[in-house]
Amino acid sequence: MIDFHTHILPGIDDGAIDEGVSSEQMKSLLEQGVDKVVFTSHYYGRKRSPKQFLEARADAFGRIKDLIPEGMETYLGAEVHFAAQMAASDESVCSMAIGDTRYLLIELPFTTAWDSALWNRLRDFIADTEYVPVVAHVERYSEVRRKPSLLAALSDLGCLLQMNTDAFTGEEKGFAFSALRRGYVDCLGTDTHNMEERAPRYTEARAAIEEAGFS
């Protein structure tokens, strides 16, 4: 199984605070049957340049690479805050894609409306780069909860849709299973940040999904 969305790299964002927490997160995921993990630390353009982010990511990965459990494959990526106006060039944004793929995990705005400028920016990015945005935790956006048809709009545009595992066991489970039935869940991620309130929980989601008749 694959965890497409994690905050395991230590000290780079609001995820793992040190190597010990990172190690615990990875061990927990492997125990739950997750053998492929994507490291997707937050990238916010207002905090550091893409070059600074990639340097910090490399340093953080260097601190835990010897702690990766045997049998687990890991990939470097980012959770890129994507907005209508971005300081980073398309080329710089693409440098944060997952591993050597053309898939890029993006976080859309939470506090501003998804206006035509955002949709045009997303459409142009896809057309100009031929990269595939993977929209993070689609269940968390108020825009989507108010208007679920936006899932179809994102999919039709060429995006993939990632949902957090906790969505299938928490308050959003009605929405989560509705999206799954309609084919609007392309990949799962724990979005783990720590081992307390945001621990990696894959087993519970897998059980809930299988109990609902999905394999």
Side-chain angles (χ1 to χ4, degrees):
M1 293 190 295
I2 304 174
D3 189 341
F4 272 90
H5 185 171
T6 70
H7 298 272
I8 289 176
L9 294 181
I12 190 172
D13 61 6
D14 59 344
I17 60 171
D18 57 34
E19 295 91 330
V21 174
S22 302
S23 179
E24 289 183 61
Q25 289 172 296
M26 290 187 288
K27 288 178 181 177
S28 177
L29 283 169
L30 191 60
E31 288 169 358
Q32 295 176 70
V34 178
D35 57 1
K36 295 178 177 61
V37 176
V38 184
F39 298 139
T40 53
S41 303
H42 284 291
Y43 169 74
Y44 296 109
R46 66 180 181 275
K47 292 189 175 181
R48 40 165 81 104
S49 69
K51 181 176 182 293
Q52 290 170 327
F53 171 82
L54 293 175
E55 289 172 349
R57 189 183 69 176
D59 177 70
F61 178 69
R63 289 156 53 193
I64 66 161
K65 64 181 182 180
D66 292 335
L67 301 177
I68 297 170
E70 185 177 353
M72 175 176 282
E73 297 177 22
T74 63
Y75 306 87
L76 291 174
E79 182 180 3
V80 177
H81 179 68
F82 196 95
Q85 299 295 326
M86 299 175 66
S89 67
D90 284 354
E91 181 180 4
S92 295
V93 171
C94 291
S95 70
M96 293 178 272
I98 296 171
D100 58 358
T101 74
R102 302 183 77 84
Y103 296 96
L104 175 76
L105 187 71
I106 65 169
E107 181 177 68
L108 295 176
F110 280 101
T111 58
T112 58
W114 294 5
D115 58 14
S116 60
L118 175 64
W119 287 96
N120 289 336
R121 176 73 180 90
L122 191 53
R123 185 178 294 106
D124 289 344
F125 175 80
I126 294 170
D128 293 344
T129 67
E130 297 184 353
Y131 273 61
V132 179
V134 181
V135 182
H137 44 56
V138 292
E139 77 283 357
R140 291 183 55 197
Y141 304 107
S142 57
E143 290 272 336
V144 172
R145 290 197 299 271
R146 283 197 300 267
K147 191 176 180 182
S149 61
L150 290 178
L151 295 178
L154 288 167
S155 181
D156 290 345
L157 196 63
C159 298
L160 296 181
L161 308 177
Q162 180 260 311
M163 189 167 282
N164 284 359
T165 51
D166 282 351
F168 292 94
T169 57
E171 295 179 358
E172 306 94 350
K173 63 183 179 181
F175 175 88
F177 279 107
S178 174
L180 184 61
R181 284 192 295 270
R182 294 160 58 206
Y184 293 130
V185 180
D186 296 297
C187 51
L188 297 177
T190 61
D191 198 3
T192 177
H193 281 60
N194 50 53
M195 289 300 295
E196 287 77 43
E197 70 278 2
R198 300 190 72 173
R201 288 183 285 268
Y202 217 108
T203 301
E204 297 94 328
R206 181 180 181 182
I209 291 169
E210 290 177 347
E211 185 176 344
F214 297 91
S215 58

